[in-house]
Amino acid sequence: MNLKKINNTYSIFLFLFSIFFSLIIEIFSVSPSYIFCFFLISIIGISHGALDNFKGKKLFNYYGIKNYNLFYIIYILISFTVIFCWVLFPFVSLCLFLLVAAHHFGREDSSHEQIKNSKFIDFYFLLKGSAIILAPLYFHENEVLQIFNILGVVIRDFNNSLILGLLILSGLSCMLITKKFYMSILDYLTICIINYFLDPFIAFTIYFCFLHSIRHSFSLIFEINKNFKKGFILFVKKAIPLTLITAALYLISIIYLKYNYGLNETMYKVIF
């Protein structure tokens, strides 16, 4: 089975799963705990970025840089720079973070699509990826504003009409920019469904772990080896070290921060 077919099949599965899961939550009024969501993000969500060191080596080889340890130094410095800027300029940092995140989500989630016009491809990535930010804002504005407040950014309200218009535009972009757009629409509807029925944190967990991360992992697996089974085994072996290190840092951060903040607030801060 090729990567495109796997992605298409997975889009259908996740769309049906989102409907089933949302109905279960709605009917029985039960939902996963934040701790369970945090565990999923720490393992499944983080693992899709656990091959960044191998990507760094490829980049260094391209530029003829032989000191691979420099990659880790730069990687860590960038992380601390983001934290430093967030403390000093929280509102600007949040806006830049959301823009970069939207483009990243749109780009990675579109790896299986055929784009009609490459001139607008970056704008399409931004529009498509913005759905994961706009949907919770529109359906659960107060909860999202509370999360922003926990992160040090105080925003009183948003223009709901503008948010809805951009959210609709995000869905329309799937139809206008891509060929065989029905799979992109399924992903878009999945995002809208989970954000309509579920708490923003739970909805984001489902999206980040089961749509974004797993789909990106599919691409990495096929990049490692065209045979899915062999590629999967190699991917797991390569991803384990950084995944475990990151998960451990997550736990250490929670232990350190929980003395000053509530558990939910601590998880928001650590995940962001």
Side-chain angles (χ1 to χ4, degrees):
M1 186 180 290
N2 59 39
L3 179 59
K4 184 178 179 180
K5 190 172 183 180
I6 289 176
N7 275 314
N8 289 342
T9 302
Y10 189 68
S11 288
I12 297 171
F13 165 77
L14 196 60
F15 172 71
L16 296 175
F17 172 79
S18 68
I19 295 175
F20 174 77
F21 185 78
S22 298
L23 288 175
I24 292 295
I25 297 296
E26 186 73 13
I27 293 172
F28 296 100
S29 298
V30 293
S31 62
S33 68
Y34 276 21
I35 295 177
F36 181 67
C37 292
F38 183 83
F39 173 78
L40 289 177
I41 292 174
S42 301
I43 303 301
I44 300 175
I46 294 302
S47 65
H48 88 286
L51 297 187
D52 283 357
N53 54 330
F54 293 96
K55 290 183 177 180
K57 286 183 179 180
K58 286 185 177 181
L59 185 64
F60 274 36
N61 287 332
Y62 178 80
Y63 287 105
I65 303 174
K66 296 182 179 180
N67 185 3
Y68 295 137
N69 291 328
L70 185 61
F71 166 78
Y72 296 100
I73 296 173
I74 295 173
Y75 202 81
I76 293 171
L77 283 176
I78 291 173
S79 300
F80 279 110
T81 301
V82 171
I83 295 172
F84 180 74
C85 291
W86 198 296
V87 172
L88 292 180
F89 314 104
F91 179 77
V92 174
S93 298
L94 176 65
C95 292
L96 290 175
F97 172 78
L98 293 178
L99 285 172
V100 172
H103 186 275
H104 169 72
F105 290 150
R107 186 174 187 274
E108 297 298 338
D109 296 345
S110 303
S111 59
H112 61 296
E113 297 175 351
Q114 292 179 291
I115 309 298
K116 291 179 181 178
N117 193 332
S118 59
K119 291 181 180 179
F120 304 100
I121 192 167
D122 285 308
F123 185 59
Y124 167 65
F125 291 155
L126 183 63
L127 276 177
K128 180 177 180 177
S130 66
I132 191 57
I133 298 166
L134 296 170
L137 267 177
Y138 182 72
F139 295 120
H140 300 280
E141 179 183 353
N142 291 334
E143 290 91 331
V144 175
L145 291 179
Q146 184 179 2
I147 293 173
F148 289 167
N149 188 41
I150 291 171
L151 298 174
V153 182
V154 179
I155 302 175
R156 297 189 180 279
D157 56 29
F158 285 93
N159 187 318
N160 285 338
S161 298
L162 176 61
I163 297 298
L164 177 60
L166 291 173
L167 184 60
I168 293 173
L169 185 61
S170 176
L172 289 175
S173 68
C174 297
M175 301 175 62
L176 298 174
I177 304 296
T178 62
K179 300 176 182 178
K180 298 181 180 179
F181 60 84
Y182 43 87
M183 290 304 169
S184 298
I185 290 296
L186 280 183
D187 290 345
Y188 171 79
L189 291 175
T190 296
I191 291 171
C192 290
I193 289 169
I194 59 177
N195 278 284
Y196 178 81
F197 286 101
L198 307 177
D199 173 275
F201 186 64
I202 297 172
F204 176 77
T205 300
I206 293 174
Y207 163 77
F208 186 64
C209 292
F210 299 110
L211 197 159
H212 177 72
S213 298
I214 287 183
R215 172 157 286 153
H216 183 55
S217 296
F218 286 157
S219 300
L220 293 173
I221 289 169
F222 273 87
E223 186 178 331
I224 294 171
N225 195 301
K226 296 301 179 182
N227 182 292
F228 184 81
K229 184 177 180 180
K230 293 180 180 179
F232 176 75
I233 294 172
L234 289 172
F235 169 78
V236 172
K237 289 181 179 179
K238 290 177 181 290
I240 283 177
L242 283 185
T243 299
L244 291 179
I245 290 172
T246 305
L249 290 173
Y250 266 31
L251 290 175
I252 292 170
S253 300
I254 283 184
I255 293 171
Y256 176 75
L257 292 172
K258 75 172 185 177
Y259 293 105
N260 297 315
Y261 305 97
L263 183 58
N264 289 349
E265 291 184 16
T266 298
M267 286 190 288
Y268 285 139
K269 289 179 178 293
V270 172
I271 286 172
F272 268 83

